Amino acid sequence: ALTSGAPADRLGRKPVLFFIAFLFAVSALGSSLANNLFSFVLFRFLGGLAVGASSVVAPMYISEISPAGLRGRMTALFQFIVIFGILIAYLSNYLLRDAGVNAWRWMLGVGGAPALAYFFLLFLVPESPRFLIKKNRLDQAGEVLAKIESLDIAAEIKDIQASMLLKKESLFSGRYAKPITLAFLVAMFNQFNQVVMPDQGN
């Protein structure tokens, strides 16, 4: 999550999304086929990298590719889909619970199917217009903007260029201390709850 922004800015959102999808698929299939602890941890670690990177790059891409009037809704929908995906994973694991002594392998490996679907569906989406403008590929950016919504393409490109020149305030400035702290604590307690709660039933 901390480092995925740089390659997305340098290489583009779409190539990084392809790499994330690849990591998801490798992690799912590798974890399910692992025959020792080291390889299992390694593939799970790769999956963790994919989760962290997708939590940054996917909302970034969605916010840049969505029409202005739908931007907030689309980003919120992304968060909903993430949680819905977790629910589907729980249901999938429940249905696979009787798949033999190695049911856990099926539980992990089945994640490769949506990962591969994600990878191939990325061929259907365009690059972010903001990235294209940043790289001075204005003709391509105009084509993407024309597909997103009917607007004054030239004016939109100028607005995006102007926004890139604005001085960006540091995320770690005092102004953002409270929301960042709250976001960190919510994430921390969410993970802590998942670790602690199963043991309380034993």
Side-chain angles (χ1 to χ4, degrees), residues 5-44:
D9 280 339
R10 187 169 61 253
L11 304 173
R13 287 39 163 164
K14 192 172 175 179
V16 175
L17 288 172
F18 268 116
F19 185 64
I20 290 170
F22 174 75
L23 284 181
F24 273 129
V26 169
S27 173
L29 298 176
S31 298
S32 67
L33 298 174
N35 55 13
N36 58 66
L37 180 61
F38 176 80
S39 60
F40 179 78
V41 171
L42 174 63
F43 286 118
R44 295 300 289 165

Side-chain angles (χ1 to χ4, degrees), residues 2 168-181:
L2 288 173
K168 294 179 176 63
E169 190 174 356
S170 173
L171 183 64
F172 298 101
S173 63
R175 178 181 177 184
Y176 301 111
K178 184 175 179 180
I180 289 176
T181 301

Side-chain angles (χ1 to χ4, degrees), residues 1-174:
L2 288 173
T3 60
S4 58
D9 280 339
R10 187 169 61 253
L11 304 173
R13 287 39 163 164
K14 192 172 175 179
V16 175
L17 288 172
F18 268 116
F19 185 64
I20 290 170
F22 174 75
L23 284 181
F24 273 129
V26 169
S27 173
L29 298 176
S31 298
S32 67
L33 298 174
N35 55 13
N36 58 66
L37 180 61
F38 176 80
S39 60
F40 179 78
V41 171
L42 174 63
F43 286 118
R44 295 300 289 165
F45 177 76
L46 293 178
L49 293 179
V51 170
S54 66
S55 68
V56 173
V57 182
M60 178 193 301
Y61 176 81
I62 290 170
S63 66
E64 294 176 353
I65 204 72
S66 302
L70 297 176
R71 200 162 292 151
R73 245 176 296 175
M74 293 299 290
T75 305
L77 182 61
F78 166 77
Q79 298 298 335
F80 170 79
I81 290 173
V82 168
I83 302 304
F84 183 72
I86 294 172
L87 172 63
I88 294 299
Y90 277 117
L91 292 174
S92 171
N93 289 347
Y94 175 77
L95 294 173
L96 291 169
R97 71 192 186 283
D98 296 324
V101 292
N102 289 322
W104 65 271
R105 292 187 183 274
W106 289 102
M107 293 177 184
L108 294 172
V110 74
L116 290 173
Y118 173 31
F119 181 89
F120 288 109
L121 286 171
L122 281 171
F123 285 101
L124 303 179
V125 301
E127 179 56 89
S128 156
R130 186 177 182 86
F131 172 77
L132 294 172
I133 291 170
K134 182 179 180 180
K135 296 299 182 181
N136 207 33
R137 293 154 61 181
L138 302 185
D139 290 341
Q140 290 175 271
E143 292 174 5
V144 176
L145 288 169
K147 292 178 182 178
I148 295 174
E149 56 184 332
S150 178
L151 42 70
D152 186 336
I153 303 300
E156 184 71 14
I157 290 175
K158 286 182 179 179
D159 286 344
I160 294 174
Q161 289 173 325
S163 71
M164 292 178 179
L165 298 175
L166 295 175
K167 184 178 180 181
K168 294 179 176 63
E169 190 174 356
S170 173
L171 183 64
F172 298 101
S173 63

